[in-house]
Amino acid sequence: MEQIWITGAGIISSIGIGKEETCRSLLEERSGIGQLKYLKTEHHEFPVGEVKLTDDEMCQRLNIDKSVPMTRTALMGMLALQEAIADAGLKKDDLKNVGIVSGTTVGGMDKSELYYLDFLENDTRNEYIRTHDCGACTEMIADHFGRFAFATTISTACSSAANAIVLGADMIRNGDAECVIVGGSECITKFHLNGFNSLMILDKEHCRPFDATRAGLNLGEGAAFIVLESESHARRRNCKAKAVLAGYANACDAFHQTASSPDGEGAFRSMTAALQMAGIDHTKIDYINAHGTGTPNNDASESSAIRRIWGDVVPRMSSTKSFTGHTTSASGSIETVICLLAIQNGFIPANLNFSTEDAQCIRPVEKTIRNVKLNNVLCNSFGFGGNDTSIVISSPESDFKFAFAGNDVQLPYIYSASQISVQSALTDEWFDSPVAIDEPYRRSVDPDFKTYIPPLEARRMGKILKRAIVTSMSALENSGCEKVDAIVTGTGLGCIENTEFFLDALSRDGEQLLKPTYFMQSTHNTISSLVGIKMKCNGYNITYAHKELSFDSALYDAWLQLRLGMIDSALVGGHDEMTPSYFKLLEKAGYLGQQSELAGETAVSFVIGSKPKDKHLCRFGGIRMMYCPDKEEISRQLHELLDSANIPMDDVSGVLTSMNGNAGHDAYISKLCGNLFSDIPLLRYKHLFGESYTASGLGLYVAATCLSKGRIPDSLYVDANACKSLKPKALLMLNTTDEKCCSLMLVTI
Amino acid sequence: MEELILKLKQEIIEALNLEDVKPEDIDENASLFGDGLGLDSIDALELIVLMEKNYGIKLSDPNQGKEIFKSVAVMADYISKNRTK
């Protein structure tokens, strides 16, 4: 088995710009936490770990003109990525074969919170509407350096960057990629400073992880990226391993949206599985970089989970959040780089500010320990919704061994699908009698939620969450599975209604008396976590937020997990909601409302799996994701996709395109398809279902319904006179909206 | 006090979005958390916001809520003794 090497790393946080300064701060026990200086907020009572640069200073370092719309998260990400690329010796031209996976939750919120009222009331800041979402942030970071082979974004709150590492590693392990740069970036915003304040988990003193007197966390900010490559790829480039990614795992606590379970079930599972993958006994871990936020709940729960594995003989442990503050979505990669520095330089970082032992907690390392040999290090990152990820990083000399059994999955099955859309709720009436949509935006036809979710349970759920619960439970019920092994969700924007409520109150009423519920629901992975809690699913639980590829990324990951043999079944969802003011913003940004485009909402859930069952809708032939591809690249990927699924082009009865009514866009797709598939009829679905970031999920539902019913309704044909297929065997889906994100999907009978 | 109790019930229903619950459904002496109304720690935080917004009572430690939010009656009693608006 080939190893996954870490061949480069870059980091920026309150304790340093770059690895050298970071390492020095750690060795000298110099914390970056102090009085607030860069963020404009009323809350000066909270110490924070800010990156000691203004946005303009970062632009200067990156040679970016100040007039270009930039967000702080993107700028910090660029500084970290720049160092990682140089450290690994990658050239600009190499990037076309390299993927990028970034984690963030805040995205461009620093600018959105500043200009929110301008967005609504005038046209002075429209250029920042497009920089708001998480996927845009990743693309800004990536585009500064060249053209990457693919790009996607994970948003699982505070474990986002750790899960980006997991995805990149899985892609390499499965042979889907040879080199992937992974990590995350997050700046401090008023939005989440106030959000954490509303949850009453911020400490007014310097945070004291694992201390009996701990009273909460200090927010931090920063970014870190690491270059992961297969051993053979690195050897071909004559590149040495700085460390080896020996094991990793994600699990879901499935307990509560914001609190960890008392026995740390999710953390226990993620640590156990990561150790198992690395093929080492728990006693071989020399150091644990704990999640250790400093909140009473996290540190006690994490300590319980660690004691369940190590008993009373716990490895040396510290939380470096006492240096950096909690860098939220970026913490997973920031702390992985800290672990890398610890291995390379032979030291164990201190857990600062510790004074009083707590019987509920493990006693951490209080002073830097120098001159130690670290063979294997474990790094924990946990997020809201009990999203727990553990990573084992080993020195190249360690005797770990990758231990996993892949299985030979043929084409997986799509057992079931369930949707709520502008056409219908949970039914396929649209198939024979579609509703014509004649207004620019329409909200979904909702079922009577009370018959599905008891009101008390629904009290904090916006529509997007109710739809996600209902479609997920309905897909599970129709799948023939009792449970699923994984839950993977795509959402471009998450619960934007709640996000808007919070932002609106923040902008109009100021930074006091904000409702914790709105903040808590604003994280993108709320959907996946709630479904996980509802289904009591402790398995893999990941959320993607990458523009038009949000759903596609989720589906790709579920397919990847099936092919790796990590799971037998997965619930894959695509969820986005629309609010009247958000529709207005999209229109201003030039996304929607142009010509005959129609904006809609998406709630769609599938259960897919590797084992045959009594019935299924269709089989899944695979997906290819690309970033800014030219037509030669799309053609190459198309043929690879068909070949790998062993389906000849002649079997393809139609190409379901992402045509959305925008004349320019539809002409581009039409021309592209003319080159790729000369005589296969083109189909569309967005004229019936509307456009949203996860509309491609409804596209897959449309394609699966056609195959299961054995016909394609006339309403889907782009050209009414096209030669119609009587019994479709296979359908292709082409999803490209802004000519940057692009995917090809294949389904067959 | 009865007036305050009724007002408080209405405010709780609104702040916590308890659809289908009417003030008369809430027993003012029953527990708000656990077996009673079935509220949890996030609801407690919402109640802290409610207390400050409507009655000018600021709680800085979420643990204080455990005693004060025992029942609507206890809450009303605390409010009547500590309100600043």
Side-chain angles (χ1 to χ4, degrees):
Chain A
M1 176 69 208
E2 253 200 90
Q3 294 182 350
I4 297 172
W5 285 7
I6 298 173
T7 56
I11 186 168
I12 174 169
S13 76
S14 62
I15 58 167
I17 296 151
K19 294 203 296 283
E20 216 182 292
E21 197 187 347
T22 306
C23 194
R24 223 169 27 238
S25 296
L26 289 166
L27 282 165
E28 293 167 9
E29 299 184 4
R30 209 165 45 229
S31 167
I33 297 168
Q35 233 207 340
L36 226 141
K37 181 176 166 196
Y38 297 87
L39 181 77
K40 291 189 175 45
T41 166
E42 293 169 20
H43 291 295
H44 280 267
E45 70 275 31
F46 297 119
V48 288
E50 287 177 301
V51 167
K52 311 289 184 281
L53 289 173
T54 64
D55 290 10
D56 285 351
E57 285 165 340
M58 284 195 261
C59 280
Q60 215 166 10
R61 282 179 183 244
L62 291 156
N63 283 323
I64 294 171
D65 193 281
K66 276 197 286 187
S67 64
V68 180
M70 277 291 150
T71 63
R72 191 167 171 85
T73 297
L75 289 167
M76 293 188 314
M78 287 174 201
L79 285 168
L81 184 57
Q82 180 168 273
E83 187 187 14
I85 289 173
D87 196 28
L90 290 168
K91 304 277 171 296
K92 189 172 182 177
D93 197 47
D94 296 330
L95 301 180
K96 64 178 189 296
N97 298 314
V98 174
I100 180 163
V101 185
S102 185
T104 188
T105 302
V106 156
M109 185 58 90
D110 62 318
K111 292 297 187 294
S112 298
E113 68 188 15
L114 211 55
Y115 304 138
Y116 178 72
L117 295 178
D118 292 318
F119 289 170
L120 293 177
E121 290 158 12
N122 59 57
D123 287 319
T124 58
R125 300 292 180 180
N126 286 358
E127 67 272 25
Y128 286 100
I129 300 173
R130 277 177 182 263
T131 61
H132 171 81
D133 70 79
C134 299
C137 181
T138 304
E139 294 187 355
M140 282 157 80
I141 295 171
D143 292 351
H144 186 68
F145 299 94
R147 282 285 169 256
F148 281 84
F150 64 86
T152 192
T153 308
I154 288 181
S155 192
T156 54
C158 301
S159 54
S160 300
N163 287 326
I165 297 173
V166 170
L167 176 72
D170 274 344
M171 293 179 77
I172 293 171
R173 195 151 67 102
N174 201 52
D176 285 10
E178 288 188 303
C179 181
V180 189
I181 303 184
V182 295
S185 180
E186 197 128 288
C187 70
I188 302 181
T189 63
K190 262 193 323 190
F191 189 96
H192 70 291
L193 182 76
N194 278 283
F196 281 99
N197 186 30
S198 75
L199 293 172
M200 300 180 97
I201 50 175
L202 292 179
D203 195 339
K204 289 184 180 139
E205 311 286 323
H206 281 218
C207 68
R208 300 167 300 287
F210 301 103
D211 193 281
T213 67
R214 68 191 183 281
L217 58 90
N218 300 146
L219 275 183
E221 65 180 355
F225 284 96
I226 58 173
V227 179
L228 295 179
E229 36 189 319
S230 65
E231 182 182 339
S232 56
H233 187 266
R235 285 188 194 280
R236 279 205 305 279
R237 305 197 299 121
N238 289 320
C239 195
K240 286 202 168 70
K242 296 196 159 55
V244 181
L245 191 65
Y248 51 88
N250 167 270
C252 182
D253 204 30
F255 173 72
H256 186 269
Q257 274 184 267
T258 57
S260 303
S261 61
D263 61 349
E265 181 63 20
F268 170 76
R269 283 172 186 254
S270 68
M271 288 189 282
T272 308
L275 288 169
Q276 203 176 357
M277 186 194 278
I280 52 171
D281 185 73
H282 64 271
T283 55
K284 299 278 189 207
I285 293 291
D286 304 313
Y287 164 61
I288 297 175
N289 184 298
H291 184 57
T293 57
T295 63
N297 173 253
N298 175 82
D299 297 359
S301 170
E302 186 172 9
S303 293
S304 296
I306 291 173
R307 282 187 177 134
R308 280 171 72 184
I309 298 173
W310 279 273
D312 293 330
V313 193
V314 174
R316 285 174 286 196
M317 180 200 79
S318 66
S319 165
T320 46
K321 289 185 176 72
S322 57
F323 284 85
T324 59
H326 189 354
T327 56
T328 52
S329 289
S331 63
S333 55
I334 284 179
E335 286 157 32
T336 296
V337 174
I338 288 175
C339 289
L340 175 72
L341 292 172
I343 292 172
Q344 286 183 310
N345 297 283
F347 73 98
I348 290 177
N351 188 103
L352 302 178
N353 313 322
F354 184 87
S355 64
T356 319
E357 193 159 344
D358 179 352
Q360 278 192 307
C361 291
I362 291 162
R363 190 184 177 100
V365 169
E366 291 162 60
K367 290 266 154 216
T368 312
I369 303 173
R370 295 179 187 235
N371 303 318
V372 280
K373 169 86 187 128
L374 300 177
N375 282 311
N376 305 295
V377 164
L378 181 90
C379 184
N380 279 339
S381 286
F382 308 149
F384 274 178
N387 197 291
D388 299 334
T389 300
S390 301
I391 289 173
V392 178
I393 307 136
S394 298
S395 85
E397 299 92 48
S398 164
D399 57 353
F400 73 91
K401 52 182 181 299
F402 237 157
F404 85 98
N407 69 357
D408 218 6
V409 180
Q410 293 305 308
L411 297 187
Y413 299 85
I414 298 182
Y415 303 128
S416 59
S418 175
Q419 60 87 32
I420 294 172
S421 65
V422 300
Q423 282 292 328
S424 60
L426 309 166
T427 68
D428 51 19
E429 280 158 49
W430 63 273
F431 195 83
D432 289 314
S433 39
V435 180
I437 314 287
D438 44 19
E439 66 263 62
Y441 83 91
R442 184 179 277 206
R443 297 203 73 173
S444 289
V445 181
D446 282 319
D448 180 12
F449 289 120
K450 282 181 198 156
T451 60
Y452 299 93
I453 312 166
L456 187 67
E457 204 181 308
R459 71 191 181 282
R460 289 197 284 264
M461 293 183 195
K463 281 199 169 150
I464 189 172
L465 292 173
K466 290 179 187 166
R467 290 174 191 151
I469 294 281
V470 171
T471 57
S472 299
M473 298 314 279
S474 149
L476 181 65
E477 199 180 304
N478 297 323
S479 67
C481 302
E482 273 173 36
K483 58 171 194 60
V484 289
D485 298 333
I487 297 173
V488 198
T489 303
T491 179
L493 293 156
C495 306
I496 50 165
E497 194 166 31
N498 282 322
T499 307
E500 252 178 50
F501 287 151
F502 197 84
L503 205 46
D504 211 86
L506 191 65
S507 305
R508 293 180 203 279
D509 310 331
E511 300 180 59
Q512 301 296 332
L513 301 173
L514 293 157
K515 282 174 78 72
T517 301
Y518 295 153
F519 173 68
M520 181 182 99
Q521 306 295 35
S522 74
T523 51
H524 299 73
N525 70 322
T526 293
I527 305 166
S528 229
S529 320
L530 256 187
V531 175
I533 292 168
K534 182 89 180 163
M535 292 187 173
K536 298 187 174 60
C537 176
N538 289 111
Y540 191 73
N541 191 306
I542 301 292
T543 298
Y544 288 87
H546 194 91
K547 301 168 65 183
E548 291 82 2
L549 292 191
S550 300
F551 172 78
D552 307 53
S553 300
L555 183 65
Y556 167 76
D557 191 3
W559 181 48
L560 178 61
Q561 299 306 316
L562 287 170
R563 286 180 294 151
L564 281 165
M566 302 297 284
I567 58 169
D568 286 333
S569 63
L571 176 83
V572 184
H575 302 280
D576 270 297
E577 65 181 349
M578 180 67 64
T579 66
S581 59
Y582 200 77
F583 173 72
K584 211 165 101 184
L585 300 195
L586 290 178
E587 200 177 4
K588 277 189 173 192
Y591 275 127
L592 286 175
Q594 316 283 312
Q595 297 148 13
S596 54
E597 288 171 63
L598 155 78
E601 298 183 290
T602 298
V604 66
S605 300
F606 301 88
V607 177
I608 69 171
S610 48
K611 305 265 185 306
K613 294 209 178 281
D614 296 347
K615 61 180 173 95
H616 57 263
L617 295 175
C618 65
R619 299 186 74 171
F620 181 62
I623 176 168
R624 294 283 167 145
M625 294 206 300
M626 294 154 262
Y627 186 56
C628 303
D630 53 24
K631 61 178 191 296
E632 287 72 33
E633 172 67 5
I634 302 177
S635 170
R636 192 180 68 79
Q637 296 273 2
L638 168 68
H639 289 100
E640 275 187 26
L641 175 63
L642 290 165
D643 288 350
S644 67
N646 206 14
I647 291 172
M649 185 79 98
D650 287 349
D651 281 1
V652 177
S653 317
V655 180
L656 190 60
T657 67
S658 55
M659 286 185 179
N660 65 4
N662 177 303
H665 170 65
D666 290 3
Y668 163 74
I669 291 185
S670 189
K671 189 168 164 225
L672 183 63
C673 291
N675 285 327
L676 292 170
F677 343 85
S678 48
D679 48 5
I680 304 174
L682 299 188
L683 310 168
R684 59 186 176 145
Y685 61 95
K686 289 186 181 175
H687 63 305
L688 299 178
F689 290 91
E691 180 70 282
S692 72
Y693 272 154
T694 40
S696 58
L698 286 167
L700 180 65
Y701 156 77
V702 166
T705 310
C706 290
L707 291 178
S708 112
K709 287 186 187 280
R711 64 194 168 90
I712 300 169
D714 286 350
S715 60
L716 299 182
Y717 285 89
V718 172
D719 176 1
N721 301 315
C723 174
K724 289 170 185 164
S725 159
L726 288 178
K727 197 103 178 94
K729 274 195 200 162
L731 292 169
L732 267 166
M733 291 177 59
L734 172 69
N735 179 21
T736 172
T737 304
D738 60 1
E739 298 174 30
K740 273 183 139 184
C741 298
C742 181
S743 82
L744 282 165
M745 276 187 238
L746 179 64
V747 281
T748 183
I749 50 173
Chain B
M1 186 59 88
E2 250 173 58
E3 206 178 301
L4 178 62
I5 285 177
L6 178 66
K7 183 165 167 264
L8 198 52
K9 284 180 181 175
Q10 286 160 342
E11 286 168 347
I12 291 172
I13 290 168
E14 198 207 323
L16 306 184
N17 191 28
L18 302 174
E19 260 183 86
D20 290 356
V21 177
K22 292 183 195 64
E24 55 269 32
D25 300 337
I26 304 174
D27 175 354
E28 59 256 38
N29 296 310
S31 168
L32 283 170
F33 295 85
D35 294 340
L37 203 49
L39 304 182
D40 66 8
S41 59
I42 301 292
D43 297 301
L45 295 170
E46 289 289 354
L47 294 181
I48 290 176
V49 174
L50 184 157
M51 297 264 284
E52 189 175 347
K53 210 180 221 167
N54 300 358
Y55 302 100
I57 299 171
K58 205 171 162 71
L59 301 182
S60 52
D61 179 3
N63 285 326
Q64 282 175 277
K66 279 184 189 148
E67 283 303 307
I68 302 164
F69 304 145
K70 246 183 179 157
S71 67
V72 177
V74 175
M75 221 176 136
D77 182 55
Y78 185 85
I79 288 170
S80 64
K81 285 178 188 143
N82 296 283
R83 63 190 299 170
T84 60
K85 65 177 180 190

